[in-house]
Amino acid sequence: MAAVSFTVIGLVLAALAGFFGYQAATATPFWLTDVMVLPLAGGLIIMALQDKYARMTKWIAAAFSLPAMLMCIGLALAFRIDGAGGYQFAEHASWTPALGISYSLAVDGIGTAMFLLTGVIIFAGCLASWSVEHRVREFYALLLLLTSGVFGVFAARDLFLFFLFYEVAVLPMYLLIGIWGTGPKEYSAMKLTLYLLLGSAFMLVGFLALYFASGVTPLTFDMDTMLKTAYSPGFQKLFFPFLFLGFGILAGFWPLHTWSPDGHASAPTAVSMLHAGVLMKLGAFGIIRVAVELLPIGAHAWLPYFAVFTIVNITYGALVAMSQTDLKYVIAYSSVSHMGIVVLGICTLTDAGLNGAVFQMFSHGIMTGLFFALVGFTYGRTHTRIIADFGGLGKRMPVLATFFTIGGLASLGLPGLSGFVAEFMVFLGAWRFNPVLAVIAAAGIVFTAAYVLRVLQRCFWGPLNPHFADITDANRVEILCLTILAACLILFGMYPRPLVSLINSGVVGVLARVGGGG
Amino acid sequence: MNGFMQAVDWSVFRDEGILLAALGVMLAVDLVRPRGRPSPSGWILLAGSVLALLAGVLRPVPDASLWDGAYVVDALARYFKALFLLALALATLASFRYMQAKAWRGEFNLMLGVSTVGMMLLVGAGDLVSLFVSLELVSISLYVAASLARDEVTSQEAGLKYLLVGAFSTALFIFGMSFVYAGCGSTSLAAIRAAIGTGPGHPLAVAGVVLMLAGLGFKIAAVPFHMWAPDVYQGGPTPMVAFASVASKAAGFAIMIRLLVGTMAGLSGVWIPLLCVMAVATMTVGSFAAIPQTNIRRLLAYSSIAQAGYVLIGIVAGTPRGVSAVLFYLLVYLFTNLAAFISVLIVSRHAGNDEIASYAGLAQRSPLLALAFMLALLSLAGIPPLGGFVGKLYLFASAMEVSTRLLWLVVVGATLSIVSLFYYLMVIRQMYIEAPREPGAIPVGPAATIALLCCIAGMVVTGIWPNGVLDLTIAVAGPLVGH
């Protein structure tokens, strides 16, 4: 077995070295593929590890996810916003010409922001899972595999590739929640997987329709070609709901959101972080990238109606979060509420709304990652998530309490933190779109403030529950994880301009295609 | 008669001949083998099938037509022959260890071989008579193989059910043939095609097509002719089930392509609506009936019923793309279903039963088996990057290309594949999430390991790099349609 193990690891490393060496030698960097390949290579190496080296797993995972995060930051810095913006870092290779499939990657401002989000979350997620002991190799391998899928979706410019990566990103969730979850984990895992794959079945039908209706010969899954195609209005109105709802399920669109609270509450910490933080954004990203951009007439016809549903998302999510007794369910329902803000922003089809939606995708991703990490760390100490059992934890764990406060304030949209920037822009867009909806949605924020402050007060302030008299505060790894996340919230809250202009360079392209604006 | 014989170029039968020669050697060796020595019949069958496969792939037999087109060699025949031989080779390779203890392994291997020869002749049949004779050769040898485990009641029951239902379907099929003959005045497929033309067709021929569809429905286990499949899959010897589930089903689709798409395209107004109904019923029943199963073989039986429904979509499309999608899917399905059944073969033999609960903790007891089985189930569910996804996508695409009227068929198919994912995930849950019920590793054995790795490679390659197979199936399907 040792021989097989070392051979596989050697092969992976050699392939990686060869791949990077080739790029260095020919001076043609494949940035996007590189970022995508790193987690995958790490996952393969971890799978090939022998049992006696299992304790090295988390270090290997960190060693592969850290460069991935740094490369994402590099991408965001290297992305040229001035000029046209548009798609950059493009890679293209023929794959299956018989079906019109190509390996085609590129990111615009929106994709770059999502890369940055994913990079931060995966590294923080690896740190947050430092205490996983049970079947640790499989855990990290699946986590990294999933991350490669997420990167792939955000970069894919070919619908076949998009779908492939989407499934790679979604399916490992079943095992991750089923094996390492808590509570009714098998039920939650099955529900989540079936819901999301039902969404993907609708997507697939929509993709095939786009494929055949494009009318180009030879037929192609290439999204840039489809962007140039004017699909007939009847066709757009017929297939827009397929794509919107297919992606909407993953974005937590009411009333198809019920997988999300169960799934996120049952999942292990890092998986909740990744799922609520990044995977739900795949849904919103898909709505913008595929549904809205490729079928603009369908979008104009349908989105005003869907916007009403997002109001339910926002208010209902917040109200239900308020009545939860389990801390993790509070966070899970708050994601439903916050994702409603994202989809509302998209539904407005305005400049401010779309910018706000994407900014909220980023901001909520970081914020919910921070929350789930905090809940996980707290649970690891108290072994309970019932809010009524806590009390005064801040006295024993001031660091965790401080981070929780930062996250909570970002969540209720306090100016100076990134949540405010995002929500302000979305409501601005919503106001131009329909003032009534904007007022109701903004009122939903009041509920958010209510449940966030209630949780903060019940769990961390007040008199200390003597049961928890001897618990410890965050350790160094946990503090590193939380600092990275909180720093993003504060940085982009105080100084949102670089991120806003990055995102805007992508939104401009979407609006040029869709029309509208204002 | 003499002239009839002289005109024949026997080299046309080279690949069948290689396999037949191997079967002859097998019989002879088993006759002279001293008592107590293990029978080498498995090795001989493996060697014969691999040799025939290599010969067929590396030096393909050129196109030919014998006896006024009663037997033809064309691209379609070559493709399916290679497919059958591949299935035979993999099934034989995987079942060495299973067969070791069986007293009837000689007869069993012979029957599998004869059945394969029958399939190879079947796909070359260009006349209703030769088609029927080779179909019987396939069926009868499989009936025998199913009931060979004389000491097991379930095997006897499976064999008997298979025989009775099979005989019934054969009766329907030949009844339909006689109608077609009456309506078209010939048994030659070329003559039938000419007689049908593009018109509405003779009423007798129409009735004949309907009856033949019923007969073929039994062969591929399509609803409502599927009842035999769960019982036979549950009771028959596992290697036979593994082989029949891919090869026999592929043979059924080969006849469908030849008869319906190739010959009776003029009657498509009759058979397309029927097949549409059949496809939806098959996908639905297969997907939902699998949910309550606790026996892994019955589950796989219903799953393979559902799979047949998906493949029918390609036949319904009836275009070159549809036929090539069917061809592609059948190859993917071969790797996928064989991987599943090889896993079942090994686990069942070790556990002594077929309960899904016996798979608990398989990931810890045998990572390779669990991985192969999981990939097979995901490929069956149509999850990328496995061959099953490309295959299903291609099938759906072929239907949507024909007209948006088939859109509903695609929506139904895509939605039902999520239903089937549910019970596939239940098995994956046992293997990966549940803790093992018994300690200890499950040994796989070198031969079965090779077979499993071949299947995994097949699933992954057709999923990630399907170009070669796609181009091949497109080239095969092109000339069949539209003449």
Side-chain angles (χ1 to χ4, degrees):
Chain A
M1 277 319 280
V4 177
S5 164
F6 286 120
T7 314
V8 173
I9 294 175
L11 282 175
V12 173
L13 287 177
L16 211 55
F19 184 58
F20 281 97
Y22 169 80
Q23 295 176 55
T26 56
T28 48
F30 305 127
W31 293 117
L32 299 176
T33 306
D34 289 345
V35 176
M36 208 174 69
V37 156
L38 277 173
L40 183 67
L44 287 175
I45 289 176
I46 286 171
M47 268 326 280
L49 274 187
Q50 285 177 274
D51 285 333
K52 56 181 170 184
Y53 299 120
R55 69 199 146 73
M56 288 166 60
T57 302
K58 51 194 177 186
W59 290 102
I60 298 175
F64 278 90
S65 53
L66 178 63
M69 177 177 81
L70 295 177
M71 284 185 75
C72 289
I73 296 172
L75 275 181
L77 293 175
F79 189 91
R80 292 184 314 280
I81 294 166
D82 51 311
Y87 283 94
Q88 298 178 17
F89 309 110
E91 295 168 29
H92 186 91
S94 177
W95 186 3
T96 303
L99 293 181
I101 301 167
S102 58
Y103 180 83
S104 177
L105 303 180
V107 285
D108 65 348
I110 301 174
T112 309
M114 292 300 107
F115 257 63
L116 186 60
L117 168 70
T118 312
V120 171
I121 292 284
I122 177 57
F123 182 60
C126 281
L127 296 179
S129 315
W130 220 245
S131 57
V132 170
E133 300 284 348
H134 177 57
R135 294 167 77 176
V136 59
R137 291 184 307 144
E138 287 158 288
F139 179 83
Y140 274 103
L142 285 170
L143 201 62
L144 291 173
L145 171 68
L146 178 160
T147 310
S148 283
V150 173
F151 280 129
V153 177
F154 285 138
R157 291 304 296 155
D158 180 283
L159 283 181
F160 181 91
L161 203 60
F162 190 102
F163 191 84
L164 189 153
F165 285 130
Y166 182 92
E167 302 274 292
V168 171
V170 166
L171 214 70
M173 281 296 167
Y174 178 72
L175 293 177
L176 282 168
I177 297 175
I179 299 178
W180 293 276
T182 51
K185 54 183 186 173
E186 282 151 18
Y187 164 79
S188 306
M190 183 63 88
K191 187 173 177 180
L192 178 144
T193 312
L194 292 184
Y195 259 90
L196 297 189
L197 290 184
L198 181 68
S200 76
F202 280 106
M203 278 161 49
L204 188 64
V205 174
F207 285 8
L208 283 175
L210 289 170
Y211 175 68
F212 282 111
S214 69
V216 292
T217 43
L219 290 168
T220 172
F221 280 104
D222 183 49
M223 288 160 81
D224 294 314
T225 311
M226 289 179 182
L227 268 180
K228 292 181 199 120
T229 309
Y231 293 101
S232 74
F235 174 88
Q236 298 203 18
K237 284 172 193 161
L238 174 62
F239 282 101
F240 184 81
F242 276 89
L243 291 168
F244 182 90
L245 294 176
F247 287 115
I249 291 181
L250 183 54
F253 183 70
W254 186 87
L256 303 170
H257 68 285
T258 62
W259 59 270
S260 137
D262 288 328
H264 292 162
S266 296
T269 302
V271 175
S272 306
M273 290 170 68
L274 259 171
H275 206 292
V278 180
L279 260 90
M280 288 180 94
K281 277 73 196 173
L282 289 187
F285 181 79
I287 292 176
I288 299 176
R289 188 91 307 156
V290 182
V292 170
E293 227 176 16
L294 296 183
L295 301 174
I297 301 174
H300 279 291
W302 281 96
L303 285 182
Y305 303 104
F306 288 137
V308 180
F309 288 81
T310 66
I311 299 299
V312 184
N313 254 81
I314 298 170
T315 50
Y316 164 87
L319 279 172
V320 178
M322 209 152 57
S323 64
Q324 295 301 310
T325 53
D326 181 325
L327 184 56
K328 210 167 181 184
Y329 268 99
V330 176
I331 312 299
Y333 274 105
S334 85
S335 287
V336 174
S337 174
H338 281 110
M339 286 307 291
I341 297 180
V342 171
V343 183
L344 173 65
I346 298 171
C347 286
T348 64
L349 289 179
T350 57
D351 182 18
L354 274 168
N355 267 309
V358 180
F359 203 99
Q360 173 79 343
M361 280 156 74
F362 183 88
S363 161
H364 173 255
I366 300 284
M367 187 177 76
T368 203
L370 178 68
F371 270 135
F372 279 119
L374 282 163
V375 174
F377 298 159
T378 310
Y379 178 76
R381 290 165 168 75
T382 59
H383 301 290
T384 177
R385 297 191 317 229
I386 305 301
I387 297 168
D389 292 351
F390 295 127
L393 292 179
K395 291 201 172 61
R396 283 287 171 272
M397 355 189 269
V399 176
L400 288 183
T402 310
F403 280 113
F404 206 103
T405 312
I406 297 174
L409 295 178
S411 177
L412 57 82
L414 189 79
L417 294 169
S418 61
F420 170 75
V421 183
E423 286 169 16
F424 182 77
M425 285 196 286
V426 169
F427 295 141
L428 200 66
W431 180 265
R432 287 187 194 139
F433 169 71
N434 184 336
V436 181
L437 288 188
V439 169
I440 304 175
I445 298 302
V446 178
F447 302 130
T448 307
Y451 71 75
V452 167
L453 294 175
R454 168 177 161 269
V455 163
L456 269 175
Q457 185 238 329
R458 293 267 177 86
C459 297
F460 292 97
W461 314 125
L464 175 67
N465 180 342
H467 193 65
F468 300 121
D470 51 356
I471 56 172
T472 53
D473 205 353
N475 61 33
R476 277 183 207 160
V477 175
E478 291 168 347
I479 291 178
L480 177 61
C481 162
L482 297 171
T483 308
I484 293 172
L485 295 169
C488 289
L489 288 183
I490 297 169
L491 174 68
F492 294 115
M494 298 293 219
Y495 187 56
R497 227 184 86 183
L499 189 58
V500 170
S501 36
L502 177 68
I503 291 170
N504 189 51
S505 75
V507 168
V508 168
V510 178
L511 284 176
R513 164 81 180 163
V514 178
Chain B
M1 193 63 193
N2 203 16
F4 184 77
M5 296 297 285
Q6 270 172 355
V8 173
D9 174 11
W10 291 102
S11 69
V12 166
F13 294 104
R14 183 195 66 195
D15 299 348
E16 289 90 337
I18 296 176
L19 190 57
L20 269 177
L23 294 178
V25 171
M26 202 164 91
L27 270 180
V29 169
D30 267 349
L31 271 181
V32 301
R33 170 174 60 96
R35 257 180 197 290
R37 293 281 299 280
S39 163
S41 60
W43 288 107
I44 298 172
L45 184 61
L46 178 66
S49 52
V50 170
L51 270 180
L53 178 63
L54 286 179
V57 171
L58 299 178
R59 300 286 300 275
V61 177
D63 282 4
S65 174
L66 292 185
W67 303 308
D68 294 332
Y71 186 80
V72 294
V73 177
D74 58 2
L76 184 77
R78 282 191 293 266
Y79 183 83
F80 271 105
K81 282 177 192 177
L83 201 119
F84 300 143
L85 288 167
L86 186 60
L88 179 66
L90 286 174
T92 312
L93 186 62
S95 51
F96 275 142
R97 192 172 277 208
Y98 173 89
M99 285 308 211
Q100 257 168 17
K102 310 289 184 199
W104 37 267
R105 60 184 176 275
E107 296 94 313
F108 182 83
N109 284 330
L110 181 68
M111 285 302 133
L112 280 198
V114 171
S115 156
T116 310
V117 173
M119 290 175 192
M120 293 168 76
L121 296 175
L122 180 66
V123 291
D127 188 288
L128 289 180
V129 177
S130 55
L131 188 112
F132 183 74
V133 172
S134 38
L135 185 64
E136 283 302 272
L137 185 59
V138 176
S139 305
I140 292 173
S141 44
L142 283 180
Y143 302 150
V144 178
S147 46
L148 261 179
R150 283 180 292 267
D151 44 349
E152 289 168 33
V153 175
T154 50
S155 170
Q156 302 296 304
E157 186 192 335
L160 191 62
K161 272 189 183 152
Y162 200 18
L163 170 69
L164 290 177
V165 175
F168 183 58
S169 80
T170 305
L172 283 178
F173 195 66
I174 198 164
F175 199 38
M177 279 185 177
S178 62
F179 275 50
V180 170
Y181 173 66
C184 301
S186 170
T187 57
S188 153
L189 295 189
I192 292 172
R193 181 166 55 227
I196 290 175
T198 55
H202 196 284
L204 278 175
V206 172
V209 170
V210 175
L211 284 170
M212 285 169 88
L213 267 187
L216 287 173
F218 278 105
K219 209 75 219 147
I220 60 167
V223 174
F225 313 108
H226 65 290
M227 307 290 192
W228 59 273
D231 294 325
V232 173
Y233 277 42
Q234 184 184 5
T238 322
M240 171 264 164
V241 175
F243 175 72
S245 76
V246 293
S248 176
K249 190 160 284 194
F253 279 107
I255 313 178
M256 278 201 165
I257 293 174
R258 265 249 198 266
L259 273 184
L260 298 179
V261 183
T263 307
M264 302 183 175
L267 293 180
S268 60
V270 178
W271 55 264
I272 284 187
L274 285 175
L275 279 189
C276 270
V277 175
M278 209 190 243
V280 170
T282 307
M283 289 188 288
T284 313
V285 171
S287 300
F288 282 101
I291 292 175
Q293 304 301 328
T294 57
N295 180 301
I296 188 76
R297 293 193 198 199
R298 291 189 80 85
L299 185 135
L300 285 177
Y302 282 110
S303 127
S304 79
I305 290 171
Q307 299 293 323
Y310 290 105
V311 184
L312 278 175
I313 294 178
I315 305 272
V316 167
T319 52
R321 199 188 276 273
V323 172
S324 82
V326 171
L327 299 178
F328 183 83
Y329 199 85
L330 288 174
L331 181 67
V332 172
Y333 182 68
L334 182 152
F335 292 119
T336 306
N337 229 35
L338 276 181
F341 270 107
I342 293 170
S343 312
V344 170
L345 178 78
I346 296 167
V347 175
S348 295
R349 183 171 163 272
H350 197 267
N353 64 56
D354 294 320
E355 294 306 304
I356 295 176
S358 319
Y359 288 76
L362 187 64
Q364 279 132 295
R365 301 181 71 189
S366 172
L368 175 70
L369 270 185
L371 180 70
F373 203 5
M374 178 172 73
L375 290 180
L377 293 172
L378 293 179
S379 177
L380 286 173
I383 304 290
L386 297 165
F389 169 66
V390 181
K392 243 177 216 176
L393 180 86
Y394 198 26
L395 283 169
F396 290 161
S398 71
M400 287 186 78
E401 186 194 27
V402 175
S403 86
T404 43
R405 276 180 303 143
L406 291 179
L407 174 67
W408 64 275
L409 199 58
V410 176
V411 174
V412 169
T415 314
L416 284 174
S417 69
I418 303 306
V419 175
S420 62
L421 183 70
F422 170 71
Y423 56 81
Y424 294 136
L425 281 180
M426 295 303 274
V427 181
I428 293 176
R429 170 188 150 174
Q430 288 291 338
M431 295 193 294
Y432 277 85
I433 299 180
E434 300 289 326
R437 294 193 171 180
E438 295 165 44
I442 295 181
V444 179
T449 303
I450 295 174
L452 277 179
L453 290 177
C454 286
C455 291
I456 293 178
M459 284 188 277
V460 172
V461 169
T462 49
I464 292 181
W465 199 253
N467 298 15
V469 182
L470 273 180
D471 293 341
L472 177 66
T473 58
I474 290 169
V476 171
L480 278 170
V481 186
H483 60 179

